[in-house]
Amino acid sequence: MPAKKETGVILPKYVTATRRRGEIVAYKYQRRVPKRVRDGAIKMGAKVPPPILNIYLSADLSEATSKATKLTALHDEVFSAAAGDEGAFQQRSFDDAETLLRNTFEAERDPSKGTPEGASWKDWQKALTSLSGARSGLSDHDKMQLLAAYLASAFDEKEPASQLVESAYPLALANIPPREPIPPASAGDRVLFDAAKGVLIDQLNSLTPNRAAPEGERLSDRVEQYANFAQIKETTRKSMAVKVNKFIKHLNRDPSLESLDTATIKEYRDALDADENMNRSSVNAYLTPLRTIFKWAVNEGYVKTDPTLQVQTLKDKRTVEDKQWKPFDDAEIKKVWNAVQAGWGPQGQSRLSDSRKATFLMVFRVLLWTGMRPAEVFKLTPDDVFADRIEAKDTKTGPRTVAIANAIKDFPTFIASSAWRDALKNEKKGRGDIEGLQQTMSESFTSLIRDAGLRNKKHVLYSTKSTLVRQLNWLEAPDNVQRSIIGHKTPGKLRHYTSPADLRKQAEYLNKIKYCPGLP
C-alpha cells in the first residue's frame, strides 16, 4: 500500500485517516495479510489472522507514525518468513505478537485500561514445557529468543534479552513490564521465584553454550576484580588464576558468571575427579576459587545466585599421613644427595646452565635446614640473608626469621654471587617468574631422584620440609622451636601467649642435624 496524502500531509505506508465531519479524528494501521500466511496458520492449527489488519494507532499523527513503524517492522518480519524453523517461529508467534501490541497501544491510548499486561513468573513451567511441546519444532536460536524475552518480561531479568533477542515479537515482549510484582512480597514466593528463574537460566544457558561474555564480565575479568578488591598476595592471585584458567580451558570459553550453572560446575568437578593424576583434595582445591568468586560476586551484586552452593565437596578418605609428602629416611636422603650432586654438581649431567645447577644445589641444602618452600627461597635477596639468620618477608604463613645452620653458612655469600643473579634472570620467556623457576627445579629434582630409583610419588622436592620435621622430632625439639623454624602458627588462643624460639635455640637444634656423610 503506497503512502497517501491527506490534506497536504503525507501519511506513512499502511496508515489511514478516519474522518468525522471532514476532520481527522483517528489514524489506523491497515494492511492485507498475505494468503500464504493465512494458509500456513491453517496448516499448523494456529489462530488464523484476518484478511486485513485493522489496528487503531492514535489521534496524533506523530504518535501514530511511531507505532505504525513498529507494526510495519513486525509484520514485514512475519510475512517474509519462509518455510522451515524460522517460518514456524513467526507463524506461531503471530497471534501472540498481535495481541501484545494491541494491548500496548490500547493502554497508551486510554490510560483507564491500565498498563499492558506482561508475562507472569508463575507461568514458568508452562513457558518451559512449551519449548518441548507446542514450540518443539523451533530452532535453538528461536527458542533462545523466546526464553530470553520471557525472562525479561516475567522476571525483569533484562541482561539475556539485551544480548540475545533480535526478532520483533520477542523484542516487544521483553519491553513489557512483569505482570506480578518483582520480587514477590511473600518469603515463600521469593524462594519459588528464585528457583524458577534459576531453572530457566539453566535452560537458556544450555541453548547458548558458547555465548561470549561482555568485556569486564568474563570469569577471568572477575578474578582480577576480586583480587584487587580483596588485595590478595601476588602468589595467591597467580594460584587462583592458574586454577580458574584450567576451568576456562575445560569449557573452551571464558564465560560470564551469569552463564554458569550448577550442572556445568558439577560436570567439571566430576571430570577432575576422573583424572587418575589428581586426588580429591586437589579437586576440591581447584573448585575453591570458583566458590570464592561467586560468593564475592553475590555480595557485590554482580550475580543474584551462587551455583557452587549446590556443588558438594568430595570426601577424601585418605589419612593425614597419606596426604602428606613422604620424608626421606636416612638411606633415601643419601640416594637423593648423590643424585642431585650428579645432576647439579660442578660436573653435573643436567642440561641446565652452570649457574642454574649451582643455584639449585644451594637451594636444595637451604630447604633441608630451613623448612622453607622453594619459591620462598627464590624470593630472597642479599638484603634478607645475614651471617646468622634469614629474614623471609614473603612466605605462605607470613614473615619469619630462621637461623642459618652451620651446614649452610655459605648461603649469604652465594646469594650475593653472579651465579644466583644469572640463575634468576635466565628463566625462559613466558615463565620468567618465581613460580616458573620453582617448577623448573621441581621437575628436574623429580627426574633425578626417579632415575636414582626413588619411585614413590610422595617423594618430591617438598619432601625436604617433611624430612627436616622428621629430624627435629627425632632430636625431640620443643614444639615452639619446630613451629618457629618451619613457619607453622600456634593453633587457637595459645597463639597470643606462645613466643617463637629465639635464633640461638633454633641454631642449637639445626646444628645437630646430620643427614648423611658428604651432605654438609
Side-chain angles (χ1 to χ4, degrees):
M1 181 183 293
K4 299 185 293 297
K5 185 175 181 179
E6 296 282 351
T7 61
V9 178
I10 302 296
L11 295 180
K13 192 176 182 180
Y14 307 125
V15 175
T16 62
T18 300
R19 293 176 177 274
R20 288 182 185 170
R21 298 178 183 178
E23 294 185 2
I24 297 175
V25 295
Y27 294 96
K28 291 183 178 181
Y29 176 89
Q30 294 184 321
R31 182 172 183 178
R32 185 178 300 281
V33 178
K35 183 176 182 299
R36 62 183 176 81
V37 173
R38 292 167 51 79
D39 291 345
I42 293 172
K43 185 181 294 185
M44 290 185 298
K47 183 177 179 180
V48 182
I52 296 178
L53 301 175
N54 187 19
I55 302 173
Y56 173 84
L57 295 174
S58 174
D60 179 76
L61 179 58
S62 62
E63 185 178 0
T65 300
S66 173
K67 294 177 179 179
T69 300
K70 297 177 184 178
L71 283 170
T72 300
L74 170 67
H75 293 137
D76 283 348
E77 184 178 350
V78 171
F79 296 161
S80 64
D85 288 341
E86 182 182 0
F89 166 61
Q90 301 295 359
Q91 296 291 354
R92 287 178 172 139
S93 302
F94 182 87
D95 185 56
D96 292 337
E98 199 62 44
T99 302
L100 180 64
L101 289 169
R102 281 178 183 273
N103 290 344
T104 303
F105 296 149
E106 187 71 13
E108 290 176 353
R109 181 178 71 86
D110 184 356
S112 67
K113 293 183 179 294
T115 57
E117 189 174 74
S120 169
W121 69 267
K122 294 181 179 179
D123 294 331
W124 70 274
Q125 287 180 308
K126 179 181 177 182
L128 191 61
T129 55
S130 71
L131 296 179
S132 57
R135 291 191 166 104
S136 60
L138 303 187
S139 67
D140 284 350
H141 178 74
D142 292 337
K143 289 179 181 178
M144 168 266 292
Q145 291 196 74
L146 286 172
L147 197 53
Y150 176 70
L151 276 164
S153 180
F155 290 83
D156 202 29
E157 189 71 23
K158 303 291 188 184
E159 187 270 337
S162 67
Q163 291 188 33
L164 302 173
V165 175
E166 55 193 28
S167 297
Y169 163 59
L171 277 174
L173 174 61
N175 290 324
I176 302 299
R179 186 189 312 170
E180 310 285 347
I182 303 298
S186 76
D189 278 351
R190 282 198 297 274
V191 171
L192 293 175
F193 175 87
D194 290 338
K197 184 169 69 172
V199 170
L200 293 173
I201 289 177
D202 285 354
Q203 179 66 24
L204 182 63
N205 290 336
S206 72
L207 294 171
T208 57
N210 297 315
R211 176 157 57 111
E215 187 173 352
E217 297 181 17
R218 296 169 299 192
L219 176 57
S220 58
D221 297 326
R222 295 303 190 195
V223 171
E224 282 298 309
Q225 293 162 17
Y226 167 75
N228 293 333
F229 173 85
Q231 296 184 331
I232 60 178
K233 294 169 58 176
E234 187 63 25
T235 51
T236 306
R237 180 194 296 255
K238 289 182 177 180
S239 174
M240 176 176 282
V242 167
K243 290 180 173 64
V244 171
N245 285 339
K246 186 176 182 69
F247 178 58
I248 291 172
K249 185 176 180 180
H250 172 80
L251 295 179
N252 200 28
R253 62 190 174 96
D254 194 353
S256 66
L257 295 183
E258 294 87 345
S259 71
L260 296 174
D261 55 30
T262 297
T264 299
I265 299 173
K266 281 184 177 179
E267 187 273 331
Y268 175 61
R269 178 201 63 189
D270 295 343
L272 292 177
D273 191 35
D275 186 344
E276 62 180 13
N277 294 318
M278 186 170 288
N279 59 53
R280 287 194 155 186
S281 291
S282 297
V283 171
N284 294 332
Y286 270 89
L287 293 178
T288 296
L290 295 177
R291 298 184 191 279
T292 301
I293 293 300
F294 267 106
K295 182 178 180 180
W296 164 78
V298 169
N299 290 338
E300 291 296 301
Y302 295 129
V303 293
K304 296 180 180 179
T305 58
D306 179 357
T308 67
L309 294 177
Q310 303 302 318
V311 180
Q312 295 296 315
T313 299
L314 297 177
K315 291 184 178 180
D316 191 343
K317 296 182 178 180
R318 296 176 302 159
T319 64
V320 173
E321 291 74 20
D322 288 337
K323 296 177 185 178
Q324 292 176 334
W325 299 120
K326 185 176 175 61
F328 300 115
D329 62 25
D330 293 343
E332 289 165 343
I333 194 63
K334 184 176 181 179
K335 287 183 179 180
V336 170
W337 176 239
N338 290 335
V340 296
Q341 275 193 309
W344 297 338
Q347 306 300 321
Q349 301 302 310
S350 171
R351 295 183 179 181
L352 297 169
S353 65
D354 290 343
S355 60
R356 273 293 171 82
K357 290 188 288 188
T359 297
F360 286 177
L361 195 60
M362 182 76 251
V363 170
F364 173 71
R365 291 164 52 210
V366 172
L367 298 179
L368 282 173
W369 270 276
T370 65
M372 296 176 70
R373 297 168 179 83
E376 295 169 355
V377 179
F378 285 125
K379 289 177 184 177
L380 296 173
T381 69
D383 293 337
D384 301 323
V385 181
F386 302 86
D388 63 339
R389 68 192 186 280
I390 297 172
E391 294 184 356
K393 300 181 180 68
D394 188 4
T395 75
K396 187 175 181 179
T397 55
R400 78 174 188 268
T401 301
V402 184
I404 287 186
N406 292 332
I408 54 172
K409 281 291 185 182
D410 53 337
F411 185 46
T413 302
F414 187 89
I415 197 172
S417 70
S418 59
W420 179 271
R421 293 192 298 271
D422 290 344
L424 265 64
K425 71 181 180 181
N426 194 31
E427 182 62 8
K428 296 177 182 178
K429 289 184 178 180
R431 285 177 55 188
D433 55 10
I434 297 302
E435 284 71 23
L437 188 61
Q438 170 189 262
Q439 185 172 345
T440 300
M441 180 179 178
S442 178
E443 291 171 353
S444 179
F445 178 82
T446 301
S447 177
L448 290 173
I449 66 171
R450 295 291 181 264
D451 290 344
L454 295 171
R455 305 294 185 184
N456 193 320
K457 291 184 178 181
K458 304 300 291 183
H459 278 148
V460 294
L461 188 58
Y462 278 96
S463 296
T464 52
K465 187 170 198 171
S466 302
T467 303
L468 171 61
V469 172
R470 176 176 177 272
Q471 289 287 326
L472 291 172
N473 285 334
W474 185 80
L475 292 170
E476 298 183 345
D479 183 70
N480 69 321
V481 171
Q482 295 196 37
R483 289 183 180 278
S484 63
I485 292 172
I486 64 177
H488 285 186
K489 296 178 180 178
T490 301
K493 296 180 181 179
L494 290 178
R495 183 184 304 175
H496 299 288
Y497 305 99
T498 305
S499 300
D502 59 25
L503 292 177
R504 181 186 57 80
K505 203 67 175 175
Q506 288 185 20
E508 177 186 336
Y509 283 94
L510 290 173
N511 287 331
K512 291 179 180 179
I513 295 175
K514 305 295 181 185
Y515 285 110
C516 67
L519 181 57

